[in-house]
Structures are given as C-alpha cells and as structure tokens.
Amino acid sequence: MLELRSRDHAEKRVRAGVLEQGTTDTLVEAAVGERLLREGLPHRGIELRYGGAGHRIAFEKLVPGRAITVYGQQEVVKDLIAARLADGGDLRFDVDDVALHAIDTDHPYLTFGGERLDCDFIAGCDGFHGVSRPSIPEGVLTEYEREYPFAWLGILARVKPSAEELIYARTERGFALHSMRSPEISRFYLQVAADEDIAEWPDDRIWAELKARLETVPGFVLATGEIIDKGVTPMRSFVAEPMQYGRLFLAGDAAHIVPPTGAKGLNLAVADVRQLTKALVHRYETGSDELLDGYSKACLKRVWRAQHFSWWMTTLLHTFDSDDAYGHRLQLSYLDYVTSSEAAARTLAENYVGLPYGSLE
C-alpha cells in the first residue's frame, strides 16, 4: 500500500462517521470489527425536522434487522492499518512521485521514490485528486458531474450529543445536521455558501446559527461546548465510468463522489473494495477473469443508486433559490409525504441503512 500522507494524518483526519449495515457486516467479517462493535453507536432511526416538528424514520419498523452504526472513518482507518501491520503487511506512508505504468498489459508496475513495484493488478483507492484515474488514457472514461450552489460547514465539538439519533433539519435559514462521534463528542453541519470563508465563522456565530436551525421544536435545547475541529466541505456529485482499465481498478473517491447528505461516500468505497476482493479471490482460485471483467458494471449499479439517493436527500433538505416559491412548496410537500406514508418512509430507510449486497445484481 502506497500512501501520500503520513500515518498520523491518515489516522486523525476527520471524515465520515455513518456506517451502513453492510459496511459494519463487512468489517466484522474481515476480523477488523472488534472495536467497532464495542465502541460504535448503533442507531435504529433518524429524525427529519421541519415546520416546527420532528418526525422519526424508524428503521426497526421499516427495515427490521438493519441499522446504521456511528463510528468515525478515522477509527475505521486505525483499525485497518493496525490489522494489516499485525499481518506483516507492507504499508508505505509519506510516499511521493507515484506513477503507474503499463496498466493495459499483463505486467503493470508502479514507480515511487526511485523504486519500482511490479504488480499483478493495481487498486486505485487514492481519491479524486490521486494519480490513478488520470493514468487512464484520455477518451476512455465518461465523467458525470454536478456541483451544488452551497457547501457544508462542519464542526467537531467536545460536548455530549443533544439527541440520541441524527437530526436532519430543513429550515428557511438553510439545512443543519446534528450528529455525533461518541457519547462525549458531537458532529454538526451547517449549509453555507459554496465559497464560504471559514475565517468568517467564529465559534459563537457557529453555535448561534446551529441553535437557530435546530431549536425549532418545543423543548429541544442544543448543548454547546469546545469546538475542536472545523472546516468547509464543497457539495458535488461525480462518477467516472468504467471503473477499470486494463489491470487498474478504481475504488472509492477515485471513481465517484457523492454529497454527504446521504452518508454514502465511505460506504460506497467499502462496497467497491468488497466487490474487488471477491473478484480477485475468484481470479486466483480459478484463473478466470470473469468477475474482474464485470467489476465496473457490478459496482456502478450501487454507485448510481447511491448517487440518486444522495441527490434526493440533498434537494429535499437544502434551501436553494429563495425566490423559487414553487420549489419551496414541492420540498415541503414531499417531506409531508415521506413523514406520513409508510411506503415513502421505507424507501428512505432502506436506502439510508444500505441496500443488502446482492440486491442490485
């Protein structure tokens, strides 16, 4: 494994924190879920808050036996690194000048820092700005992209969560999300302008705006505390297909990005790696390239389902053009439908907790 950043950076960078049922099951199956099961926070519902009321989407009723688990992505990374090193894995951090060669042949190889690594296959799990996708010749990939006219300002705070489950709040001031990472650490997001400068958001302003968007139901009081991390995340959707070329296979953000509203980024990456693992095991056990040849097609079914769900959640809950009265009424109408129709609520629930592996095949 070649990683541009340091191990310390990889293990401390704050990212996603909502694991689908399938992601949790995969980590447990891979024998890296012991700490996850011990420290993760299982959630069996979320709240949609709008119009001065909260509406719970009850996973235990709508999708029995399936839930989400709140467990920080950096904690997953720590567990994976520790397990790989314990097995004698060769993990290289602070690696630069990585280049991919001969990926359309049977003998691809990598060069980095004056070294050469000959490979059977290369998994490009190096994110949107990595070297893997740009190594595919021009004209091979078709890219689909959408940018949203807002961003998320996210904070991590040393304060006990003010609710037991995630709260997705739609207000006239913009969207807000109440989440958590542990019983003592909370995670919050605010919809802000796409070009927002984080320097314009001192802690007092952040808490005031979170209170204005979340304290909209009787009796709810938002607890505040020390903010230990904050930043602005752009909102965009991106898919490159196919997700493979020759002996190079793209996975995660190297191939696709979703807005964080649907909590799908990390989970899609795990689904990609699970599919690639299955295909590689099949190849080495049988000598057949059948599953490797079908890797992109198999992954893209789940990718596009998640793309649609993430787009839907984003357009349902965020404030767009303030002059678009028609769009505003459509949002409220659909929120009323989701919170009053069991069928509509089940659609949200089954996509949020993650469709079972095999269901899209």
Side-chain angles (χ1 to χ4, degrees):
M1 186 206 78
L2 305 179
E3 169 58 47
L4 174 66
R5 303 285 189 170
S6 68
R7 177 179 176 181
D8 183 68
H9 176 91
E11 292 185 338
K12 290 183 178 179
R13 187 182 180 192
V14 177
R15 300 294 297 277
V18 175
L19 308 187
E20 293 179 351
Q21 183 68 56
T23 298
T24 297
D25 294 343
T26 296
L27 293 171
V28 171
E29 291 168 12
V32 289
E34 181 180 351
R35 195 162 67 94
L36 161 63
L37 294 179
R38 185 174 66 249
E39 300 178 11
L41 306 176
H43 285 206
R44 292 172 177 80
I46 59 172
E47 180 185 324
L48 300 182
R49 183 172 292 187
Y50 69 98
H55 308 266
R56 185 170 185 266
I57 305 298
F59 300 157
E60 72 273 15
K61 174 183 176 183
L62 299 165
V63 281
R66 300 184 67 77
I68 61 167
T69 300
V70 174
Y71 189 69
Q73 179 171 323
Q74 70 272 22
E75 304 305 323
V76 175
V77 170
K78 290 177 188 176
D79 295 341
L80 293 175
I81 290 174
R84 194 73 182 93
L85 290 175
D87 286 342
D90 188 356
L91 277 61
R92 313 282 184 94
F93 296 94
D94 296 306
V95 175
D96 57 11
D97 297 325
V98 177
L100 283 61
H101 308 273
I103 58 176
D104 58 344
T105 74
D106 291 341
H107 303 286
Y109 65 96
L110 301 167
T111 56
F112 58 97
E115 296 187 53
R116 169 172 170 153
L117 178 64
D118 292 290
C119 311
D120 289 344
F121 305 95
I122 299 173
C125 312
D126 51 346
F128 182 81
H129 298 289
V131 300
S132 295
R133 191 179 68 259
S135 298
I136 297 175
E138 186 176 352
V140 172
L141 299 178
T142 300
E143 297 182 352
Y144 304 87
E145 190 167 9
R146 171 165 295 181
E147 294 189 4
Y148 297 87
F150 42 74
W152 273 14
L153 188 160
I155 70 165
L156 202 65
R158 202 180 308 279
V159 59
K160 181 180 179 180
S162 300
E164 294 183 354
E165 297 177 336
L166 278 71
I167 302 171
Y168 286 78
R170 191 259 183 222
T171 77
E172 300 306 313
R173 303 176 67 95
F175 169 79
L177 174 62
H178 171 290
S179 184
M180 62 285 293
R181 288 295 179 270
S182 75
E184 297 81 28
I185 301 294
S186 296
R187 183 73 159 152
F188 300 95
Y189 295 99
L190 286 168
Q191 176 186 349
V192 294
D195 59 352
E196 199 71 47
D197 182 359
I198 191 64
E200 299 297 320
W201 286 85
D203 293 2
D204 288 348
R205 183 186 178 191
I206 291 173
W207 286 122
E209 192 60 31
L210 283 168
K211 281 179 167 288
R213 299 188 194 185
L214 289 168
E215 291 183 346
T216 57
V217 300
F220 180 83
V221 177
L222 181 68
T224 63
E226 177 193 4
I227 295 177
I228 56 179
D229 183 83
K230 60 183 174 181
V232 175
T233 301
M235 301 284 281
R236 58 197 299 254
S237 300
F238 173 83
V239 180
E241 55 179 68
M243 291 170 54
Q244 61 192 98
Y245 176 75
R247 297 248 171 151
L248 169 64
F249 298 84
L250 304 178
D253 285 3
H256 44 73
I257 294 174
V258 290
T261 324
K264 294 301 169 202
L266 165 63
N267 294 294
L268 278 181
V270 171
D272 291 345
V273 172
R274 183 185 177 104
Q275 183 65 33
L276 183 56
T277 300
K278 177 182 175 181
L280 287 170
V281 169
H282 181 74
R283 167 65 166 71
Y284 285 111
E285 286 183 346
T286 69
S288 170
D289 288 332
E290 179 183 3
L291 295 186
L292 285 172
D293 291 343
Y295 166 76
S296 180
K297 182 178 180 180
C299 289
L300 284 169
K301 289 183 179 181
R302 181 172 294 271
V303 167
W304 279 110
R305 175 84 298 276
Q307 286 285 339
H308 179 267
F309 178 68
S310 299
W311 165 85
W312 178 74
M313 287 282 284
T314 301
T315 55
L316 182 67
L317 294 165
H318 289 74
T319 302
F320 286 80
D321 186 346
S322 59
D323 295 327
D324 183 11
Y326 180 81
H328 170 79
R329 293 298 297 163
L330 284 180
Q331 277 185 315
L332 295 179
S333 173
Y334 209 97
L335 280 166
D336 286 341
Y337 177 52
V338 169
T339 56
S340 61
S341 164
E342 184 172 313
R346 180 173 291 108
T347 294
L348 190 160
E350 69 177 2
N351 280 273
Y352 195 90
V353 303
L355 297 174
Y357 294 120
S359 63
L360 296 175
E361 295 177 359

